[in-house]
């Protein structure tokens, strides 16, 4: 099928230029320029005597004020604000990320630098992560620092939790349709060189209603989405202590959930499942030492464990369990217990002339125990991952800096009880970035990096589709970025990227085993404007063009599933009289393709979703809000057979006891 946008890199550049001209027209309403903020490369910002050479990496940061403005309460809702990104939900009803054509299992998701994605499938439900204790989310696309380790081919999402400087306490209550409610409380104590922050929250709902345009079908005959109810609870604790030249912190995150899994609409053999006991724990101890004026060391020891019990029922009454059979889908209860242990050692050295050298050693052990209750059979598997990395930020003049780096990774699936173990895999991944300050308003950056993702436990040991002969998935990432300050409080960011992926791990068809697809190419461009629109509201507009193709010699279908060619993200903030605020956010995804059980290509229509958040400041310590989702009540799907919520609402208030 021929697209109106050329597939070649020249065509992508042409698209970027045209889009830039359009956005520059909007940008002309702004005033004089101002110096851009220093770049946050994740959880640690290193300052030095060196000039601000601009950012080598393509970094986008969402702050707490951004969450609150649009009424986001989970990481899922926040990430849908970012250009080139969206989340989609499939058979487990969990929110999984897409970033510039990369799947979530190819993106490293972290909390304060600690990996939280599951070693089973490389994913984590973004909807179970509340924003109550989050100060910002730092997203690095494509060529992220080698210190983040393997499995981040598409980039990293680093969720930074709040470290309080002052004591505070906060309460938020909200209610919505379908008996939905949310309660959140946070408190912090700060004294001398110590601080302690605690956050608890609960979200519970009978589910969500579908759009009025939805037509009843097999497995979904009512307005209320079958199997969409949930009960999600979270608790976090963070203790910090500054002792001399060192800082110590203990961070705990706990998520305790129960939920149903919506069945696939129209499927003859749909499953009706419930996660009746599902929790995740993440705990880490971090220490930062300033050895002297030029050297720092960070150590982190962490443990992550997750557990779930999955119940399988015969129909949507959720009363009678399935009778166990030969097929993997015919089980009554499945239990999966996973835990990970890790050690991180990172160091930074700043030379006399301001150059920065960073190094890191990461070691991680993953263990999973899977139990089929009907047969009482258990499988235990273990893997280890080691990564040794270094990079340097070198000044090559007043305007030019070079950032070379490299990492060596080792993956060893060393134990599989009763199964054939996977292969030991390793690899060396170099990268380099160049940043040039073109003037007081403009910075140019180009970067190239080799990245890789090792097979996860499902890729290797899934009872239906596992393949212990898999190799690592590899990618050559090339990016160009131009940042232009167009006014005192406005900026334009243009990116052109190409990712050449080899040995991509994917099922050739729904019923096939995982395999290494020979060659996949993702090319695209992205334009983001942030500032003031038409002398009026603050706004952020992001457009992403993406061309993702399977270029394997034997393939008969070139397009990759669930990768829209065109994505548009919009945010607008209106300050109204009498301390009212009206904030709009929207997302457009063009047509997506997928393959059915017979490997025939199908399509999902374009998606347009608009949300609104209205806030009213009652007095200095409290405000009321109304959040409206999908205000056009559009019937849409981001995954085939799994319709998204129609129009939904919630209202509530927050109170600060400061």
């Amino acid at each position: 099928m021929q697209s109106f946008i050329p597939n070649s890199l020249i065509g992508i550049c042409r698209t970027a230029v045209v889009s830039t001209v359009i956005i520059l027209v909007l940008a002309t309403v702004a005033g004089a320029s101002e110096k851009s903020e220093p770049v946050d490369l994740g959880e640690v910002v290193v300052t030095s005597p060196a000039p601000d050479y601009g950012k080598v990496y393509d970094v986008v940061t969402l702050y707490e004020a951004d969450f609150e403005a649009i009424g986001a309460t989970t990481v899922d809702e926040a990430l849908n604000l970012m250009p080139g990104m969206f989340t989609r939900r499939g058979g487990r009803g969990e929110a999984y990320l897409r970033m510039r054509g990369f799947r979530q299992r190819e993106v490293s998701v972290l909390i304060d630098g600690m990996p939280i994605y599951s070693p089973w499938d490389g994913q984590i439900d973004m909807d179970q992560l509340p924003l109550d204790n989050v100060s910002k989310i730092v997203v690095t696309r494509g060529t992220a620092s080698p210190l983040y380790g393997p499995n981040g081919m598409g980039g990293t999402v680093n969720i930074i939790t709040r470290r309080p400087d002052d004591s505070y306490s906060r309460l938020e209550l909200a209610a919505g349709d379908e008996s939905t409610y949310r309660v959140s409380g946070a408190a912090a104590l700060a004294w001398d060189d110590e601080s302690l922050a605690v956050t608890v929250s609960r979200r519970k709902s009978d589910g969500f209603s579908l759009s009025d345009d939805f037509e009843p079908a097999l497995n979904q005959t009512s307005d209320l989405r079958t199997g969409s109810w949930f009960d999600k609870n979270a608790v976090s604790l963070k203790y910090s202590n500054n002792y001399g030249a060192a800082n110590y912190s203990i961070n705990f995150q706990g998520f305790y959930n129960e939920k149903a899994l919506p069945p696939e609409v129209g499927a003859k053999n749909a499953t009706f499942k419930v996660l009746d006991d599902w929790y995740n724990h993440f705990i880490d101890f971090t220490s930062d030492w300033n050895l002297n004026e030029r050297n720092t060391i960070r150590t982190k020891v962490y443990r992550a464990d997750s557990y779930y019990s999955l119940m399988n029922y015969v129909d949507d009454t959720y009363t009678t369990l399935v009778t166990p059979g030969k097929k993997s889908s015919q089980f009554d209860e499945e239990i999966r217990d996973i835990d990970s242990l890790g050690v991180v050692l990172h160091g930074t050295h700043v030379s006399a002339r301001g150059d920065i050298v960073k190094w890191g050693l990461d070691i991680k052990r993953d263990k999973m125990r899977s139990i089929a209750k009907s047969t009482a059979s258990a499988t235990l598997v273990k893997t280890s991952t080691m990564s040794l990395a270094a990079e340097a930020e070198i000044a090559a003049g007043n305007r030019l800096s070079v950032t070379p780096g490299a990492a060596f990774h080792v993956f060893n699936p060393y134990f599989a009880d009763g199964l054939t173990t996977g292969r030991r895999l390793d690899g060396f991944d170099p990268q380099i970035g160049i940043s040039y300050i073109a003037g007081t308003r403009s910075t140019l950056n180009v970067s190239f990096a080799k990245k890789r993702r090792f097979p996860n436990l499902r890729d290797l040991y899934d009872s239906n589709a596992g393949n212990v002969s898999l190799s690592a998935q590899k990618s050559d990432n090339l990016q160009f970025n131009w940042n232009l300050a167009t006014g005192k409080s406005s900026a334009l960011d243009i990116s052109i990227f190409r990712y050449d992926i080899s040995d991509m791990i994917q099922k050739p068809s729904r019923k096939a085993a995982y395999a290494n697809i020979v060659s996949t190419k993702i090319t695209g461009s992205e334009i983001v404007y942030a500032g003031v629109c038409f002398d009026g509201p603050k706004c952020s507009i992001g457009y992403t063009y993406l061309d993702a193709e399977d270029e394997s010699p034997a393939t008969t279908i070139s397009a990759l599933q669930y990768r829209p060619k065109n994505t548009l993200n919009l945010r607008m903030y209106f300050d109204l009289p009498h301390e009212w605020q009206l904030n709009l956010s929207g997302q457009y995804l063009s047509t997506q393709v997928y393959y059915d059980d017979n490997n025939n290509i199908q399509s999902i229509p374009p998606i347009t979703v608009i949300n609104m958040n209205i806030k009213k400041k009652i007095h200095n310590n409290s405000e009321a809000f109304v959040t409206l989702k999908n205000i056009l009540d559009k019937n849409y799907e981001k995954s085939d057979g799994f319709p998204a919520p129609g129009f939904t609402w919630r209202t509530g208030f927050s109170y600060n006891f400061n």
Side-chain angles (χ1 to χ4, degrees):
M1 181 172 61
Q2 185 175 4
S3 170
F4 69 95
I5 299 178
N7 290 336
S8 66
L9 192 58
I10 295 176
I12 296 168
C13 296
R14 188 183 301 120
T15 303
V17 172
V18 173
S19 302
T20 300
V21 173
I22 294 173
I23 298 179
L24 279 173
V25 173
L26 299 177
T28 56
V29 302
S33 66
E34 67 177 359
K35 192 179 185 299
S36 60
E37 295 183 356
V39 179
D40 187 346
L41 297 179
E43 61 179 315
V44 182
V45 180
V46 179
T47 57
S48 73
D52 181 5
Y53 290 103
K55 62 180 184 182
V56 173
Y57 303 114
D58 189 355
V59 180
V60 178
T61 303
L62 277 178
Y63 293 93
E64 191 173 354
D66 297 309
F67 313 152
E68 295 179 352
I70 55 91
T73 59
T74 65
V75 173
D76 165 37
E77 293 176 335
L79 291 180
N80 277 287
L81 299 173
M82 291 193 167
M85 301 175 63
F86 65 94
T87 57
R88 53 181 293 268
R89 299 174 187 245
R92 293 179 62 89
E94 300 176 358
Y96 295 143
L97 175 67
R98 294 281 188 176
M99 181 193 294
R100 287 185 177 174
F102 285 100
R103 301 164 296 182
Q104 186 173 306
R105 63 180 66 97
E106 295 148 358
V107 176
S108 184
V109 182
L110 317 164
I111 290 183
D112 293 327
M114 173 180 61
I116 61 171
Y117 52 88
S118 170
W120 166 246
D121 57 5
Q123 305 190 127
I124 187 164
D125 180 11
M126 297 294 189
D127 186 62
Q128 74 164 319
L129 305 176
L131 293 169
D132 304 287
N133 69 326
V134 175
S135 64
K136 61 184 176 181
I137 301 175
V138 183
V139 178
T140 310
R141 282 90 63 85
T143 55
S145 169
L147 274 70
Y148 281 117
N151 304 324
M153 295 176 58
T156 62
V157 175
N158 199 4
I159 303 164
I160 310 300
T161 58
R162 191 183 297 117
R163 176 177 291 184
D165 296 321
D166 300 303
S167 299
Y168 66 84
S169 56
R170 186 174 188 268
L171 175 68
E172 182 173 310
L173 303 174
D177 47 359
E178 305 300 347
S179 302
T180 300
Y181 70 84
R182 180 177 182 272
V183 180
S184 172
L189 295 174
W191 64 97
D192 296 331
D193 294 323
E194 298 177 79
S195 66
L196 175 66
V198 180
T199 305
V200 294
S201 67
R202 183 180 191 184
R203 292 184 297 139
K204 189 174 183 180
S205 177
D206 289 345
F208 62 82
S209 295
L210 298 172
S211 165
D212 289 342
D213 295 333
F214 177 80
E215 297 183 1
L218 183 65
N219 308 323
Q220 186 62 53
T221 57
S222 65
D223 294 335
L224 180 66
R225 179 67 167 113
T226 302
S228 61
W229 61 266
F230 63 82
D231 186 356
K232 299 185 177 183
N233 306 272
V235 59
S236 68
L237 182 148
K238 189 169 191 173
Y239 170 76
S240 300
N241 186 323
N242 294 319
Y243 184 77
N247 174 268
Y248 305 93
S249 65
I250 298 175
N251 192 12
F252 171 80
Q253 308 277 334
F255 307 99
Y256 309 89
N257 310 299
E258 182 180 2
K259 58 174 286 186
L261 279 57
E264 181 178 353
V265 174
K268 295 180 180 179
N269 298 314
T271 57
F272 301 87
K273 300 175 182 178
V274 172
L275 285 166
D276 71 329
D277 188 6
W278 172 32
Y279 67 77
N280 293 275
H281 295 148
F282 305 99
I283 185 168
D284 74 87
F285 172 76
T286 302
S287 60
D288 294 293
W289 289 295
N290 292 317
L291 302 181
N292 51 49
E293 293 182 355
R294 303 194 180 280
N295 296 279
T296 62
I297 288 181
R298 159 166 290 199
T299 62
K300 182 187 291 287
V301 180
Y302 64 87
R303 183 176 189 267
D305 70 282
S306 64
Y307 173 94
Y308 75 73
S309 173
L310 183 63
M311 312 293 289
N312 195 9
Y313 294 90
V314 298
D315 55 31
D316 60 4
T317 63
Y318 296 96
T319 55
T320 304
L321 290 171
V322 166
T323 301
K326 294 181 179 180
K327 295 183 179 180
S328 63
S329 60
Q330 295 175 331
F331 65 89
D332 54 355
E333 183 179 3
E334 179 184 68
I335 297 172
R336 188 166 288 140
D337 190 2
I338 303 172
D339 79 76
S340 302
L341 294 173
V343 178
V344 177
L345 180 64
H346 284 184
T348 301
H349 170 75
V350 181
S351 71
R353 65 188 298 267
D355 298 329
I356 302 172
V357 178
K358 304 175 187 178
W359 55 269
L361 173 66
D362 296 57
I363 301 173
K364 183 169 178 271
R365 190 272 293 152
D366 296 313
K367 180 176 69 174
M368 185 191 76
R369 187 168 178 259
S370 182
I371 304 171
K373 188 173 181 180
S374 57
T375 61
S377 61
T379 301
L380 178 66
V381 296
K382 300 178 183 180
T383 67
S384 64
T385 308
M386 186 275 291
S387 178
L388 181 63
E391 69 174 347
E393 300 173 18
I394 304 170
N398 292 329
R399 295 179 177 270
L400 183 68
S401 67
V402 180
T403 306
F408 178 72
H409 312 293
V410 179
F411 172 70
N412 185 16
Y414 62 91
F415 181 84
D417 187 17
L419 301 173
T420 302
T421 59
R423 299 186 298 161
R424 181 185 181 277
L425 304 171
D426 59 54
F428 176 75
D429 295 332
Q431 64 185 68
I432 188 168
I434 300 173
S435 180
Y436 177 73
I437 300 177
T440 57
R441 294 179 173 224
S442 179
T443 304
L444 303 174
N445 305 284
V446 61
S447 58
F448 172 81
K450 285 185 172 293
K451 297 290 184 181
R452 72 184 57 230
R453 174 179 86 84
F454 293 117
N456 54 50
L457 297 178
R458 185 178 68 175
D459 296 335
L460 295 172
Y461 302 120
D462 182 83
S463 58
N464 278 335
N467 181 358
V468 295
S469 299
L470 289 171
S471 301
Q473 178 177 316
K474 296 174 282 294
S475 178
D476 292 340
N477 295 353
L478 176 64
Q479 291 187 173
F480 168 82
N481 177 266
W482 175 39
N483 183 267
L484 176 66
T486 58
K488 185 177 180 180
S489 53
S490 60
L492 182 69
D493 194 86
I494 300 174
S495 300
I496 300 173
F497 51 87
R498 173 168 175 161
Y499 310 131
D500 290 300
I501 305 170
S502 59
D503 294 327
M504 185 174 183
I505 301 173
Q506 185 169 302
K507 290 182 180 181
S509 65
R510 285 192 178 187
K511 299 180 181 180
Y514 289 103
N516 291 109
I517 296 177
V518 176
S519 178
T520 299
K521 181 178 71 174
I522 299 175
T523 56
S525 60
E526 189 169 274
I527 304 95
V528 180
Y529 170 77
V532 178
C533 291
F534 307 111
D535 285 327
K538 296 178 182 178
C539 68
S540 174
I541 306 171
Y543 166 74
T544 305
Y545 166 70
L546 191 74
D547 183 44
E549 296 183 351
D550 177 5
E551 296 190 328
S552 305
T555 188
T556 57
I557 305 174
S558 61
L560 294 181
Q561 298 186 90
Y562 301 113
R563 272 90 165 180
K565 281 186 175 291
N566 302 282
T567 304
L568 182 67
N569 296 75
L570 171 67
R571 283 179 283 157
M572 300 188 74
Y573 308 104
F574 299 86
D575 291 321
L576 304 177
H578 308 294
E579 297 187 298
W580 284 86
Q581 285 187 348
L582 172 63
N583 304 312
L584 294 173
S585 61
Q587 185 177 70
Y588 168 80
L589 305 177
S590 63
T591 301
Q592 302 177 66
V593 301
Y594 68 94
Y595 306 121
D596 61 22
D597 290 336
N598 297 317
N599 217 29
N600 296 319
I601 190 168
Q602 306 290 341
S603 63
I604 294 177
I607 297 168
T608 302
V609 180
I610 299 176
N611 307 314
M612 179 186 298
N613 189 48
I614 305 169
K615 300 167 61 176
K616 172 67 170 75
K617 192 171 184 179
I618 300 175
H619 55 74
N620 290 336
N621 293 331
S622 66
E623 66 179 20
F625 60 86
V626 177
T627 302
L628 308 176
K629 299 286 188 179
N630 192 7
I631 61 177
L632 300 179
D633 195 32
K634 291 285 188 179
N635 177 37
Y636 70 95
E637 297 179 348
K638 289 185 178 180
S639 299
D640 173 55
F642 297 93
F647 170 75
T648 60
W649 62 270
R650 65 173 176 257
T651 184
F653 74 93
S654 62
Y655 188 86
N656 293 308
F657 295 90
N658 301 27

